[in-house]
Amino acid sequence: MADTGHSVVDDYFTLVDDSCVAVLPHVLRIAAELKIADHLPASSDSLASVVDADADSVHRLLRALASVGLVTESGRTFALTERGQRLRASWASLVNIDSQLAWIRATDTIRSGRSSFDQAHRGEFFSHKDDDLEANRMFLRRMRERASRSYPEFATAVDWTPSSVVMDVGGGDGYLIETVLNHAAHVSGVLFDRPATVDVVEDSGLPARFGERLRCERGDFFEKVAAGADTHLMCSVLHDWTDEQCTRILRHSKEALDPGGRLHIVEMIVPDGDDWHPSKWSDVGMMVLTGGKERTRTEFEVLLAASGYALQSVRAIPNSHFSVITAV
Ligand SMILES: C[S@@+](CC[C@H](N)C(=O)[O-])C[C@H]1O[C@@H](n2cnc3c(N)ncnc32)[C@H](O)[C@@H]1O
């Protein structure tokens, strides 16, 4: 694992001198913003007219993409390669203007210890999305892309036998609760999230597809979590928040949970030592974007104990850097 991180940084310093690394994120974002992948195969001229862009500039952009294997060129016609399909699968993650504005000011975060997102956007990470519905939709799409890439098999790492009603707290666009309902036929689900997000979920038709097995609850987990479930799920929620904020969320979860219920937390666990691990990089991302953090196993244990929970088990999710931390 240590080697992965070392070779990434070696490649970075080599490529940054050739300008590929400096330009690559921007080229990928431009390709995503123009939705180039949706219109291939095509000649650069016809693509330029479809995406309303300058033909010579589109050709040069595609030539750069071909040099990293995302497209191939044959007689000025460009086609998407298998690797290029990732432009589609990661579309919303690539067009992530919100985060990019915060990263431009990220040195402020290191100086002040506070997220730079609110200074870049005049609003904290989630309240900004309550006021900007398009930003909220893009965020939810990014979360779906991320969850389906990062922990698609999470449902297999949980024993759902004792569960009857599973509430996905901060459940986003419903990708995870849908996965649970498909995996465990005896379970019914509740998606609990901010009103702006539940509006998106209801518009998507997801609850209607599951009929009585799935309902939505609008709320704010800093005020309270809705009652009526014996199992709470929290995937990539706690890492958005400080310890003090997490304690409030977890206490509200514990108060709302049926007696004898359980909480499954899906997060990365920061390992000790110098080895490369994505949690150490996501941690810096959380620091800049939301003011949250990634945590070690001991930090989770302390947080849970301060909130009325006791850590019961930690299971690694197959083919993932994430784990399921179960607390009762
Ligand atoms: C990082 S996303 C994770 C989404 C999903 N669980 C996943 O794993 O992809 C955090 C979620 O917490 C929700 N959230 C943020 N603040 C909230 C609040 N005060 N009350 C309820 N949900 C909130 C967001 O709307 C979002 O869906």
Side-chain angles (χ1 to χ4, degrees), residues 91-93 95-96 98-99 117 125-126 128-129 132-147 170-173 193-194 197 200 235-236 239-240 286 289-290:
W91 178 77
S93 311
V95 189
N96 187 355
D98 278 9
S99 299
F117 188 93
F125 193 79
F126 290 106
H128 153 75
K129 289 166 183 62
D132 183 339
L133 298 185
E134 190 46 35
N136 195 40
R137 274 181 200 281
M138 285 294 282
F139 169 71
L140 292 173
R141 185 157 169 179
R142 281 206 305 281
M143 288 306 99
R144 171 173 283 259
E145 288 175 358
R146 175 179 174 277
D173 82 344
D193 210 298
R194 296 154 40 238
T197 293
V200 173
C235 303
S236 298
H239 78 160
D240 291 333
M286 290 304 115
L289 296 177
T290 67

Side-chain angles (χ1 to χ4, degrees), residues 224-235:
K224 71 173 201 161
V225 172
D230 56 49
T231 303
H232 283 176
L233 188 60
M234 276 184 208
C235 303

Side-chain angles (χ1 to χ4, degrees), residues 214-225:
L214 178 61
R215 65 186 171 83
C216 296
E217 287 275 1
R218 291 168 171 78
D220 174 354
F221 48 45
F222 290 113
E223 304 277 322
K224 71 173 201 161
V225 172

